[in-house]
Amino acid sequence: MFPMNDEHPLTSSSSWFLLVGGKEKAIKQSKSRNNRHGAENRGSAEAGGGGTVAEVVPPSGRIITPNLKIFTYAELQSATRNFRPETVVGEGGFGTVFKGWVDRETLAPSKPGVGMPVAIKKSKLDSWQGLQEWKAEVDFLGKFSHPNLVQLLGYCREEKYFILIYEYMEGGSLETQLFKKGGDPIPWDTRLNIAMGTAQGLTFLHTSEDQVIFRDFKASNILLDKDFNAKLSDFGLARLGPADNKSHVSTRIIGSYGYADPEYIATGHLYVKSDVYGFGVMLLELLTGLKVVDTRRPNGHINLIEWAKPSLAEKRKLKKIMDPRLENQYPPRAAFQAAKLVLKCLKLRQKHRPSMEEVLVTLQQINSIKVNPN
């Protein structure tokens, strides 16, 4: 049913594959030192049976015993009114995302507007890519609990589909909110909070017992709740970090154009600090309000990094490329410190970049700089 080769292309225009020397093995389920089987009703991604409600996200991140509900296809049909088109909230290479409704306690399907909303990501039929990303999502999100990671509530594997059920993020993606036409712009303080939230999520992944490289860090994979608190989503391309004292993971090159680490592209070596490069790109987008790549911009401005980089080291030049929608409502000194952090994150060699822990500390220091009331 699923052709087991690594040359199945992504269908999403925002992502791309470039194969390097041979094939990459499918992502294997990582081993946690915690008991992965738990109580009787806790489901395995490869097995059927009933499941229970995922536990509440604690104040700080930790590795947990997977406790996901295994939904039936019929339950998800009921939750989305048979996957009606008007319930679609997003699409991508994996498939389509629907908004459904379930009971807050039991997660049983409910009527629209009753209980709590959930995001239901349904793979395309017979999608090999969908199968691999589905496995990675269940594996990683199923065992991690952190305020800045989107919560996976359960999954379904029936009728040739691979389906994931998440908490619903009312604010949508950072990409949608930051680059939308019209409406209120995101204020400076909120932009910094989004940067700190995503930095906290990445720091947790990089420093957890089972070190994880997110690999596809970008604005569309950062989801926002109604208060614009940020959470990382879409772990379909995530990988376990290097083992046996190695500095990197050798893998085919896969990611999103503009965000991918240049050293990773050149060598096929994936580093923990490859995520730091993607974070630097996102921070630059927050400063300028511009997408990293936009073919509608004039020549010389299409690639944001190439155009903006020369202006990041000088205060006067930086002011000219700051998002005009901010209307100068930000501390210039804080913006300049953020610009210097962008330059550090975008270093071509990963060994010259800061760790995400260092990035987070710097962002917290920047956040303490407030607008002068005068």
Side-chain angles (χ1 to χ4, degrees), residues 178-179 191 278-292 303-309 312 318 321-323 338-339 342-343 346:
L178 185 60
F179 306 128
R191 297 187 194 205
F279 183 90
V281 176
M282 183 273 298
L283 186 56
L284 180 58
E285 291 179 322
L286 286 173
L287 292 179
T288 62
L290 299 173
K291 292 183 178 181
V292 63
N303 186 300
L304 177 62
I305 297 172
E306 293 175 0
W307 171 68
K309 223 175 180 182
L312 296 177
L318 173 64
I321 68 169
M322 290 291 291
D323 189 346
V342 168
L343 287 173
L346 296 184

Side-chain angles (χ1 to χ4, degrees), residues 207-219:
T207 58
S208 65
E209 184 180 14
D210 289 342
Q211 188 182 56
V212 173
I213 304 173
F214 190 73
R215 186 155 63 159
D216 197 25
F217 186 89
K218 56 184 177 181

Side-chain angles (χ1 to χ4, degrees), residues 276-277 279-280 340-347 353-354 359:
V276 177
Y277 185 90
F279 183 90
K340 292 199 293 184
L341 179 59
V342 168
L343 287 173
K344 291 179 181 178
C345 293
L346 296 184
K347 293 288 187 182
R353 298 173 202 148
V359 168

Side-chain angles (χ1 to χ4, degrees), residues 1-3 126-128 160 162:
M1 185 187 303
F2 299 97
D126 294 341
S127 167
W128 178 85
K160 299 182 181 179
F162 302 95

Side-chain angles (χ1 to χ4, degrees), residues 238-308:
R239 287 292 304 266
L240 287 175
D244 301 325
N245 295 319
K246 293 182 179 179
S247 63
H248 64 271
V249 177
S250 295
T251 174
R252 60 178 174 168
I253 301 169
I254 179 174
S256 297
Y257 184 66
Y259 290 92
D261 175 9
E263 188 169 359
Y264 172 40
I265 296 173
T267 65
H269 295 169
L270 181 66
Y271 298 88
V272 172
K273 289 185 179 180
S274 294
D275 283 342
V276 177
Y277 185 90
F279 183 90
V281 176
M282 183 273 298
L283 186 56
L284 180 58
E285 291 179 322
L286 286 173
L287 292 179
T288 62
L290 299 173
K291 292 183 178 181
V292 63
V293 176
D294 191 341
T295 56
R296 297 170 298 178
R297 294 197 292 257
N299 289 337
H301 293 210
I302 293 174
N303 186 300
L304 177 62
I305 297 172
E306 293 175 0
W307 171 68

Side-chain angles (χ1 to χ4, degrees), residues 167-181:
E167 64 175 314
Y168 183 75
M169 299 293 285
E170 190 174 327
S173 72
L174 174 60
E175 179 182 55
T176 299
Q177 293 290 349
L178 185 60
F179 306 128
K180 68 181 178 182
K181 301 295 182 181

